[in-house]
Amino acid sequence: MVKAKKFSPESGLEVLAVQRVSKAQAWQRTGRAGREDSGICYRLYTEDEFEKFDKMMIPEIQRCNLASVMLQLLALRIPNVLTFDFMSKPSPDAIQAAIEQLDLLGAVDRKEDQVTLTPLGRKMAAFPLEPKFSKTILMSPKFHCTEEILTIVSLLSVDSILYNPPSRRDEVQSVRKKFISSEGDHLTLLNVYRAFKNVSGNKEWCRENFVNNRNMTLVSDVRAQLRDICLKLSLPIESSRSDTGNIRRCLAHSLFMNTAELQPDGTYATVDSHQLVAIHPSSVLFHCKPACVTYNELLHTNKCYMRDLCVVDADWLYDAAPDYFRRKLRAAKN
């Protein structure tokens, strides 16, 4: 079996599903047995079972969110991205969903069958990030919190900087208390990064606080690169210091498509597709019930979970994209 990510353009859901390996993957794994010397690979399933496997895995471009890909194609001045001749063609739905997402972020103009980049879209394409995070950085000067947003986006761009050994769960929780922000995971991560910088990345401190030193160093490298790109784009780089409201406002203005509201029965539903979702147990908000949150991604295992949450005001979301929310409300009423 293998875990594979699948993106559904209809619901905007990224599902991490356990599925059978393909025949090609099975042969590739067999190759591992002959690396150093000729060897034998024992397969723990029957030949009949093997014959039922798919020949090849579905290419990733057909099962991922294409917003980044479309943005890069537009930046390369491809004449018509809608008819671009991919080697493994994604579905028309996936391409349309990507264009729609870029349109909502203000990155593209759509005229009949033509899609063109806006000046904002061209700036977004300069960052090697998902479009929503490029937009977050480009929105940050308006809220005077570019330094903090650069840190948050860098923290979200690497594997988790926190490690949680199951055998020491109580110890981890008591150590983490000092970093936890009631405003969500983004600000909790920011607190960890600031503390890490204050001790100049001391390895002993990382060990005591269950922080992954190697990933933290990677965060600093990513941040330095993103900061360079901001300077090239002449973005003013300011810090909001202790004002966390501005940071949350900035996140609300760029992650407004990834929002969920608390329902009267205590569950959460996404504003976009009214999908029932829950707060992931790893979130600092797991035991809280904020009225409105933005999240980084949805992950479907046994339940549909929101990962990396931030508490926001519903009013900020309406300010960020009034047309989008009016449309969503109309659809909900209908």
Side-chain angles (χ1 to χ4, degrees):
M1 309 303 273
V2 65
K3 274 184 179 174
K5 272 191 178 178
K6 258 195 202 129
F7 176 74
S8 152
E10 296 79 41
S11 61
L13 238 187
E14 194 158 57
V15 181
L16 192 62
V18 175
Q19 61 190 52
R20 286 176 170 154
V21 293
S22 63
K23 285 181 181 169
Q25 283 173 309
W27 283 116
Q28 199 252 353
R29 290 176 174 194
T30 309
R32 295 270 188 275
R35 277 248 173 115
E36 300 284 313
D37 210 334
S38 57
I40 294 170
C41 171
Y42 291 95
R43 292 197 170 140
L44 303 184
Y45 42 81
T46 63
E47 199 166 343
D48 290 347
E49 189 74 8
F50 178 76
E51 287 309 324
K52 290 178 195 161
F53 291 178
D54 290 337
K55 194 175 169 197
M56 305 286 271
M57 182 90 171
I58 297 170
E60 188 164 352
I61 197 151
Q62 293 179 352
R63 50 187 178 83
C64 70
N65 184 343
L66 294 175
S68 257
V69 176
M70 298 319 264
L71 186 65
Q72 290 306 323
L73 287 179
L74 286 161
L76 291 168
R77 294 188 162 86
I78 298 296
N80 189 347
V81 291
L82 298 174
T83 57
F84 184 72
D85 189 17
F86 288 97
M87 280 175 72
S88 306
K89 220 171 182 50
S91 72
D93 286 353
I95 291 174
Q96 280 305 332
I99 296 293
E100 206 156 292
Q101 193 182 331
L102 292 174
D103 189 18
L104 284 167
L105 289 171
V108 297
D109 276 330
R110 287 200 282 186
K111 288 187 187 82
E112 288 141 19
D113 280 351
Q114 274 301 313
V115 181
T116 51
L117 269 192
T118 60
L120 174 67
R122 193 152 293 290
K123 284 182 178 172
M124 280 165 69
F127 292 93
L129 296 167
E130 277 183 59
K132 60 184 179 192
F133 292 137
S134 311
K135 171 87 184 257
T136 313
I137 292 175
L138 291 167
M139 290 295 293
S140 61
K142 182 180 170 186
F143 298 99
H144 315 290
C145 59
T146 309
E147 291 284 13
E148 287 74 16
I149 290 295
L150 281 172
T151 302
I152 289 169
V153 170
S154 306
L155 285 157
L156 298 173
S157 300
V158 305
D159 290 334
S160 178
I161 54 151
L162 306 172
Y163 73 96
N164 305 305
S167 56
R168 300 169 72 181
R169 182 174 286 162
D170 295 344
E171 204 182 326
V172 171
Q173 279 176 334
S174 67
V175 164
R176 288 269 160 81
K177 274 197 181 105
K178 58 180 177 284
F179 302 122
I180 285 176
S181 161
S182 59
E183 295 174 321
D185 299 309
H186 297 83
L187 293 160
T188 300
L189 287 172
L190 181 62
N191 291 341
V192 176
Y193 182 84
R194 282 174 168 165
F196 173 80
K197 281 291 173 205
N198 285 343
V199 295
S200 311
N202 181 304
K203 282 188 177 172
E204 193 51 46
W205 179 89
C206 288
R207 206 170 297 120
E208 284 165 15
N209 290 281
F210 301 98
V211 169
N212 184 319
N213 182 276
R214 211 177 90 222
N215 286 357
M216 264 306 205
T217 311
L218 197 56
V219 169
S220 300
D221 293 348
V222 170
R223 193 183 183 285
Q225 286 177 24
L226 295 177
R227 202 170 187 279
D228 283 349
I229 296 170
C230 288
L231 293 171
K232 279 182 191 144
L233 295 175
S234 311
L235 286 188
I237 297 180
E238 297 175 76
S239 167
S240 69
R241 297 201 160 71
S242 57
D243 179 6
T244 55
N246 270 355
I247 300 170
R248 293 187 300 123
R249 266 199 180 88
C250 182
L251 289 167
H253 270 70
S254 45
L255 300 178
F256 60 85
M257 285 179 274
N258 294 11
T259 45
E261 283 188 309
L262 186 63
Q263 304 303 300
D265 64 357
T267 60
Y268 280 90
T270 61
V271 175
D272 190 0
S273 53
H274 303 288
Q275 164 98 25
L276 274 181
V277 288
I279 296 176
H280 197 274
S282 65
S283 170
V284 297
L285 299 176
F286 183 55
H287 295 295
C288 314
K289 290 270 185 211
C292 193
V293 292
T294 68
Y295 54 84
N296 263 8
E297 59 176 357
L298 287 178
L299 212 54
H300 195 99
T301 44
N302 54 344
K303 235 185 194 172
C304 193
Y305 286 114
M306 302 180 278
R307 295 278 302 269
D308 300 317
L309 286 85
C310 176
V311 179
V312 294
D313 267 15
D315 298 349
W316 301 344
L317 300 171
Y318 289 107
D319 291 346
D323 296 345
Y324 173 75
F325 285 103
R326 264 199 293 276
R327 226 169 43 229
K328 290 294 164 200
L329 282 175
R330 256 204 309 278
K333 279 175 189 158
N334 294 343

